[in-house]
Amino acid sequence: MSTNLMPDDRRHLAMRLSALQYLVAVAFAALAVGFWVFQVAQHQKFAEMAENNHLRRLPLPAPRGVLLDRNGKVLVENKDIFNIALVREQTKNLDATLQTLAAATGVAEAQLRETVERRRREPSYRPIVLIENATPEQYIAVRARQWELPGIFGQVVPSRRYPEATAAHLFGYVSEITEAQLQKAEYDGAEPGEIVGQAGLEQAYNRLLMGTEGNRTVIVNSVGREISTLDSQSKPPVEGRAVQLTIDAEVQKATEDGFTIAGLNGAAVVLDPRNGEVLSFTSRPAYDPNAFAGGIDRATWASLNTDELRPLQNRALQGRYSPGSTFKMAVGLAGLEENVVNPDFKVFCAGGATFYGRRFACHKKEGHGWVDLRHAIEQSCDVYFYTVGNMLGVDRIHKWATLFGLGVKSNIDLPNEVQGLVPSTEWKAKYTKEKKWYAGETISVAIGQGQVSVTPVSLAVYAATLGNGGTRVTPHLIKAVNEGKGWTPVPAPPPQSKVDVTPEKLAAIRDGMWMVVNAGGTGRRAQIPGHDVCGKTGTAQVISNQGRLAAAKSGRNLRDHGWFVFFAPRDNPEIAGVVFVEHGVHSANAAQITRHILNTYFAKKDGNPLPPPPTREEMRLDFSDRFARGAEGGQ
Amino acid sequence: MFERRLFFHVDWLLLGAVLLLTGIGVAMIYSTTYVTLSNGAGHPGPQVWTQMYALAIGMVALVICLMIDYRMFAEHSLMLFGGLVVLLIFVLVKGSTQMGAQRWIPIGPFNLQPSEFGRLTVALLLAMVFGENRRGARNTSDLIIGGLFTGVPLLLIAKQPDLGTAVTLIPVFLGVAYLAGLRLRLLGVLALAGLMIAPVAWKFALKDYQRQRIETFLDPEKDPRGAGYQTIQARVTVGSGGLTGKGFRQGTQGQYKFLPVAHNDFIFSVLAEEQGFIGVLVALGLYLFVILRSIEAARWEASFRGLRSR
């Protein structure tokens, strides 16, 4: 290159400078476009991310609705408990945090980890409750080591408080909503971690009771410290509805006391036969619903599930037992209403009778002699009902038993009711292999044995229907709901069915039941002077006597169950029900528990002081096991 | 050497733009470091005062530089370069170690970071080397000499280690070489060589943490809670600003420290968050103006004095 090219050089530089300027301009344009993409095109996304950073919606659990008894006594309420919760987003090292927390509180690290693992799909800013119902010591330990535990904080939440040892199966229990429940429509709107009813009334009326979770929206900084509360975005929780139950706390307590003092398991349902209101509802053995309220620990849950006595089973709704002699009124009523017999129809009981070539024994070996319907009920004469049952045939028994509530669901407003069974030829043809009904089978059915099975609640409805003259009331537990503006009565559900029974015919049945209690019958223990109690005992064999010999060594409890169904007073009854004593051997023991229930009810009604719970001696329990008994026959 | 005329030929627009940018910077630092006390009162963070002091020092330096003809620096650039290399070696031997790197020389209350003078010194020296009384397009030997003058401080700085500052010397070298008339073909070859060396350098020259840093820069989701956190939060900060921004002192990302040390290298994110895309355009516009105006100044300088006046 030579010197005369110098101006070129200058042009060269000018060109290169211009090129550089363009390059810079283009680069800045690209930068501007980049900012446009972030700030305008994707603004929504980043704005949300920024909001998730500094806005924290802390759930405020709603207290569940209070449950009151029919007189306004509080049965189930709420108390505040401490929970220790984790916000994963705020932890730096989750493993170390859990380890420190485990050491501080004495809770197994594996358990904490499992809880976190189970909820890992939830947004990381939503608190996970790690320790429910923490002890004050645990709470203090966590507070003391707050700086080592980023993301761990304590929350005060309302928790369910149940009365001691009362009506566990009635109330049910609550616990954290399950994954499966979250998918269901009936839990629409519920958030993970919310507390919902899992059994009993808590489950049946969860919608009413659960209220609406609120939240407090706070501004937090990067280490999770709250800067301030955003009132405009916060929402207070709405407490669940207060619900008034039909339950009478005193009658309920009397029922529970009866079982406790007698040391027996079983079930009892007491109704108002005029409308189906449930006055008391018991299943024994029970569990402590309080154990669930603050999150049940694994050992307790396991033992509840493996306990041979099955405390979680609601026997009143889910236990199916043969009704034994309590079934006899259904057979007698069927005979009367189908005009097969009249109340004066007599049968000679010689301690047993032969039907279709097979001998059926009466529970009284020496026989009752000539008995009419009233005395047959009073004495619980098996031969009488064998005879009437044989004349009726199984289908007419089925018809009347069903009309009075047996073998069908009561449709009580509690979840998971089980249906009993009163056989019929149709049932046998449809559901059994054998298909054909043999007339001989009817004989056993006539005294409530054979294939007949009932739940305690259905027997209570049966007693109520006998008492009110044919209206199969629907047992129910809710009397009124407080929507926040005073009590709104909840109308009683309509009866399941209604049949007009000829009054004279029903009177004969009631007479027999009155004699059971007030004359020479088997239910004298339930006698209450001045209140005309009507009742009927029944025995449900757990196993035949022959089978029992064979199984004697197995160690299982094979003693008979005892029943007592009742209503009172005889005319226009206002209380009816059933007491079932599991392996209680004698129905007299059930009648004894009934006695305390009725004593309490009538004392309250008459304005007298409530009777004290009877002593065990006063109950005169009878556990003598009459092992060698006739092959069939109930008392 | 004392050019009185310069006072009257100051490019006030350029100076104004620079001061405006500085002012925006101080305002943003004020905004994001503001501490609100529980009684409602508050005060800006101490970083605002640091920045103000720095501004004052900068203004003094500006005046001094105006008084001295910059060509004097170019003339003495070799000496300056020598001083730089000495300081860089000194730092490697005796410098104070902070945050795992040996970059600083403590002088009283200050920390002198010699590498900060690297770009300026290298630029001056390269300008001298390429601007030597030589003609025509620069050739390979110029490239090698220039490369050596760039490479020595680059390696010294990279050794601290401060790779980030070290690599900023490369565009300085390329920029000066380009304007000095380096053949574009040579630049192309250089770029090609760089491309070919890159994978080798990736594999052998870089340490694990350096590779990781580049990886998380390219894909911050790889380690969102660790190395990628700052990048992700910076994006959130910028993106959440929207068109008009959240308003002065209303930013949440910087205010609540989701974007750590926002007042430092990430102050532009704070501007983007609080003043939105509009604020960003204003700032970008000012920067663009400053750069174009500076290049324009080079053009005037060249045409005014003639490229080969010396």
Side-chain angles (χ1 to χ4, degrees):
Chain A
M1 280 178 214
S2 58
T3 42
N4 56 8
L5 284 175
M6 274 181 271
D8 275 354
D9 247 12
R10 197 149 50 220
R11 247 198 336 269
H12 217 105
L13 174 67
M15 255 170 58
R16 289 202 170 200
L17 282 171
S18 296
L20 191 62
Q21 280 175 321
Y22 283 119
L23 193 73
V24 170
V26 167
F28 269 72
L31 265 180
V33 169
F35 274 99
W36 184 85
V37 168
F38 274 92
Q39 297 195 278
V40 181
Q42 299 190 56
H43 170 62
Q44 203 61 36
K45 174 180 124 189
F46 287 115
E48 265 168 38
M49 285 170 82
E51 223 168 63
N52 283 342
N53 267 347
H54 76 278
L55 290 187
R56 191 83 68 245
R57 233 175 274 284
L58 301 171
L60 294 177
R64 286 177 78 81
V66 170
L67 296 177
L68 304 102
D69 92 332
R70 61 189 300 121
N71 301 312
K73 183 176 185 219
V74 174
L75 293 178
V76 180
E77 55 189 334
N78 303 293
K79 65 155 187 177
D80 284 344
I81 58 163
F82 283 122
N83 283 349
I84 293 170
L86 162 81
V87 174
R88 277 166 298 161
E89 192 181 63
Q90 290 167 18
T91 55
K92 290 271 179 277
N93 180 345
L94 185 61
D95 285 345
T97 302
L98 292 182
Q99 213 169 343
T100 314
L101 182 66
T105 59
V107 178
E109 196 187 330
Q111 192 190 325
L112 300 175
R113 206 174 296 279
E114 193 193 275
T115 309
V116 175
E117 182 61 21
R118 189 157 42 83
R119 307 261 307 267
R120 69 183 183 283
R121 278 196 296 273
E122 291 167 28
S124 61
Y125 56 83
R126 201 176 160 88
I128 296 176
V129 175
L130 290 180
I131 303 173
E132 274 186 296
N133 201 7
T135 63
E137 290 77 23
Q138 287 173 323
Y139 190 72
I140 291 165
V142 168
R143 285 300 296 268
R145 301 180 71 171
Q146 188 71 58
W147 297 112
E148 297 168 62
L149 293 167
I152 298 283
F153 64 95
Q155 51 178 201
V156 179
V157 293
S159 157
R160 246 355 192 183
R161 181 88 219 145
Y162 299 92
E164 300 301 319
T166 293
H169 293 90
L170 170 69
F171 301 134
Y173 56 88
V174 295
S175 72
E176 208 169 89
I177 190 164
T178 62
E179 294 252 330
Q181 286 168 332
L182 277 169
Q183 313 299 324
K184 287 189 186 157
E186 61 177 302
Y187 294 101
D188 231 18
E191 300 278 347
E194 271 198 86
I195 298 296
V196 297
Q198 300 288 7
L201 285 168
E202 295 278 23
Q203 182 186 351
Y205 290 103
N206 186 58
R207 269 264 170 246
L208 276 179
L209 294 172
M210 129 164 163
T212 313
E213 190 181 77
N215 66 62
R216 196 162 64 90
T217 301
V218 294
I219 296 179
V220 293
N221 67 10
S222 60
V223 290
R225 226 191 69 205
E226 283 176 25
I227 307 286
S228 61
T229 305
L230 264 187
D231 288 328
S232 62
Q233 293 197 38
S234 301
K235 203 176 66 166
V238 181
E239 185 174 347
R241 304 273 157 74
V243 170
Q244 184 171 42
L245 302 178
T246 60
I247 294 290
D248 184 311
E250 267 105 20
V251 177
Q252 179 73 40
K253 182 176 182 301
T255 314
E256 307 272 354
D257 284 348
F259 278 98
T260 307
I261 296 161
L264 288 168
N265 291 326
V269 178
V270 180
L271 307 173
D272 183 334
R274 293 165 297 189
N275 50 25
E277 289 179 355
V278 179
L279 301 176
S280 108
F281 186 100
T282 299
S283 174
R284 294 294 196 99
Y287 51 86
D288 181 5
N290 293 302
F292 290 87
I296 192 161
D297 64 88
R298 229 187 281 219
T300 313
W301 177 245
S303 77
L304 281 175
N305 274 298
T306 53
D307 192 330
E308 272 183 27
L309 292 173
R310 300 204 285 156
L312 288 175
Q313 188 197 29
N314 186 345
R315 286 161 166 72
L317 290 186
Q318 295 160 345
R320 267 190 297 218
Y321 314 94
S322 96
S325 300
T326 62
F327 193 68
K328 285 172 178 165
M329 284 82 79
V331 177
L333 201 72
L336 295 174
E337 284 293 316
E338 296 288 341
N339 294 314
V340 168
V341 294
N342 66 48
D344 299 323
F345 174 79
K346 286 192 175 60
V347 168
F348 186 82
C349 169
T354 303
F355 297 91
Y356 309 104
R358 187 184 155 196
R359 187 177 158 76
F360 290 83
C362 185
H363 71 88
K364 191 174 179 185
K365 271 189 217 151
E366 54 278 29
H368 291 97
W370 284 104
V371 283
D372 64 5
L373 176 61
R374 291 179 172 84
H375 287 91
I377 294 174
E378 181 197 21
Q379 304 295 321
S380 201
C381 175
D382 293 329
V383 170
Y384 189 91
F385 290 97
Y386 292 149
T387 309
V388 175
N390 188 41
M391 292 158 80
L392 277 165
V394 73
D395 286 336
R396 287 192 285 189
I397 295 174
H398 170 86
K399 174 186 163 192
W400 285 93
T402 305
L403 280 172
F404 277 70
L406 299 179
V408 285
K409 285 189 184 178
S410 72
N411 287 325
I412 189 173
D413 46 353
L414 286 174
N416 305 323
E417 183 184 359
V418 155
Q419 188 172 356
L421 172 70
V422 177
S424 63
T425 51
E426 189 195 336
W427 166 80
K428 186 139 193 207
K430 236 180 178 169
Y431 297 105
T432 67
K433 239 180 173 172
E434 216 175 16
K435 305 241 180 270
K436 186 181 158 19
W437 182 267
Y438 293 98
E441 295 176 84
T442 310
I443 311 301
S444 296
V445 168
I447 59 157
Q449 307 276 4
Q451 247 118 5
V452 188
S453 75
V454 298
T455 58
V457 71
S458 69
L459 264 191
V461 171
Y462 170 69
T465 313
L466 288 170
N468 66 29
T471 305
R472 181 149 70 90
V473 291
T474 308
H476 60 278
L477 289 151
I478 290 216
K479 209 170 160 57
V481 172
N482 193 335
E483 307 264 358
K485 299 189 277 291
W487 292 99
T488 312
V490 175
Q496 298 291 310
S497 66
K498 199 172 156 114
V499 59
D500 288 319
V501 181
T502 320
E504 304 82 64
K505 293 177 178 174
L506 188 68
I509 301 284
R510 287 178 177 169
D511 285 348
M513 290 177 73
W514 184 86
M515 287 152 69
V516 166
V517 178
N518 298 283
T522 49
R524 279 186 305 270
R525 300 281 180 86
Q527 197 179 99
I528 295 170
H531 288 294
D532 277 339
V533 177
C534 299
K536 181 73 192 85
T537 56
T539 304
Q541 279 188 299
V542 172
I543 191 166
S544 72
N545 289 345
Q546 291 93 322
R548 189 160 173 177
L549 272 174
K553 286 205 181 79
S554 73
R556 273 172 59 213
N557 190 345
L558 301 168
R559 296 190 296 175
D560 294 344
H561 303 315
W563 290 106
F564 190 71
V565 298
F566 61 93
F567 57 82
R570 172 167 64 172
D571 303 311
N572 302 315
E574 55 198 57
I575 181 167
V578 66
V579 171
F580 168 74
V581 287
E582 190 175 78
H583 304 303
V585 188
H586 288 289
S587 43
N589 296 334
Q592 191 69 54
I593 293 173
T594 306
R595 177 189 180 76
H596 183 50
I597 296 171
L598 291 174
N599 260 333
T600 305
Y601 176 83
F602 285 117
K604 203 173 163 183
K605 190 192 165 209
D606 299 343
N608 295 331
L610 294 178
T615 63
R616 200 172 155 85
E617 288 69 40
E618 281 167 345
M619 283 189 107
R620 292 180 292 143
L621 298 164
D622 182 0
F623 292 114
S624 62
D625 199 352
R626 284 179 308 155
F627 185 69
R629 216 178 37 206
E632 289 226 19
Q635 185 177 27
Chain B
M1 91 180 209
F2 190 88
E3 298 274 349
R4 238 186 133 71
R5 284 174 301 154
L6 280 176
F7 276 109
F8 306 101
H9 292 148
V10 164
D11 184 348
W12 294 108
L13 272 179
L14 182 62
L15 185 59
V18 170
L19 286 177
L20 208 52
L21 280 171
T22 316
I24 290 172
V26 174
M28 287 304 112
I29 293 172
Y30 180 95
S31 170
T32 200
T33 61
Y34 198 88
V35 180
T36 306
L37 303 173
S38 48
N39 61 11
H43 58 81
Q47 297 89 345
V48 174
W49 304 116
T50 312
Q51 190 75 359
M52 297 294 261
Y53 297 144
L55 178 59
I57 294 169
M59 292 310 287
V60 171
L62 175 78
V63 171
I64 292 172
C65 287
L66 277 177
M67 291 193 299
I68 303 168
D69 188 343
Y70 66 93
R71 275 160 305 192
M72 193 200 83
F73 289 115
E75 277 160 24
H76 296 91
S77 60
L78 200 59
M79 209 173 73
L80 290 172
F81 182 79
L84 173 75
V85 170
V86 168
L87 279 178
L88 285 175
I89 292 171
F90 181 80
V91 146
L92 278 184
V93 180
K94 288 208 103 102
S96 79
T97 305
Q98 288 171 27
M99 298 189 275
Q102 204 163 337
R103 298 177 192 166
W104 294 273
I105 302 171
I107 306 171
F110 299 105
N111 271 328
L112 186 71
Q113 186 178 345
S115 57
E116 281 298 320
F117 298 103
R119 281 185 299 271
L120 194 63
T121 312
V122 168
L124 283 169
L125 183 67
L126 289 177
M128 194 201 74
V129 168
F130 287 117
E132 280 265 285
N133 207 357
R134 295 170 51 187
R135 49 197 83 125
R138 304 305 170 221
N139 53 29
T140 322
S141 62
D142 292 312
L143 193 66
I144 289 168
I145 295 169
L148 277 177
F149 280 127
T150 312
V152 170
L154 191 148
L155 286 176
L156 285 171
I157 296 170
K159 193 109 175 81
Q160 291 177 354
D162 187 359
L163 199 64
T165 306
V167 295
T168 58
L169 294 181
I170 294 174
V172 170
F173 167 63
L174 292 177
V176 176
Y178 164 76
L179 287 179
L182 190 75
R183 280 173 191 277
L184 287 176
R185 195 187 302 148
L186 264 178
L187 275 176
V189 169
L190 219 57
L192 206 66
L195 271 179
M196 283 162 65
I197 289 170
V200 183
W202 178 261
K203 193 124 201 252
F204 299 105
L206 292 184
K207 298 213 165 60
D208 275 344
Y209 77 91
Q210 290 169 326
R211 272 195 289 272
Q212 190 200 0
R213 203 173 292 174
I214 295 171
E215 275 171 1
T216 44
F217 171 75
L218 295 173
D219 181 14
E221 297 297 337
K222 263 186 124 160
D223 185 9
R225 304 220 134 246
Y229 180 78
Q230 186 89 8
T231 312
I232 292 175
Q233 289 307 325
R235 287 180 181 180
V236 171
T237 309
V238 169
S240 65
L243 187 65
T244 52
K246 298 177 186 170
F248 189 65
R249 292 221 286 117
Q250 302 300 311
T252 58
Q253 286 286 105
Q255 301 273 321
Y256 303 134
K257 310 247 179 311
F258 290 103
L259 181 66
V261 287
H263 65 270
N264 208 322
D265 291 0
F266 285 81
I267 194 66
F268 200 87
S269 323
V270 175
L271 172 78
E273 182 184 27
E274 298 191 350
Q275 305 304 326
F277 186 54
I278 291 170
V280 166
L281 284 187
V282 169
L284 283 182
L286 284 171
Y287 274 119
L288 183 62
F289 175 78
V290 169
I291 293 171
L292 293 184
R293 192 80 171 179
S294 307
I295 296 174
E296 213 49 41
R299 193 196 302 279
W300 290 336
E301 178 70 13
S303 56
F304 182 65
R305 291 185 178 268
L307 186 65
R308 301 176 67 244
S309 61
R310 289 174 65 243

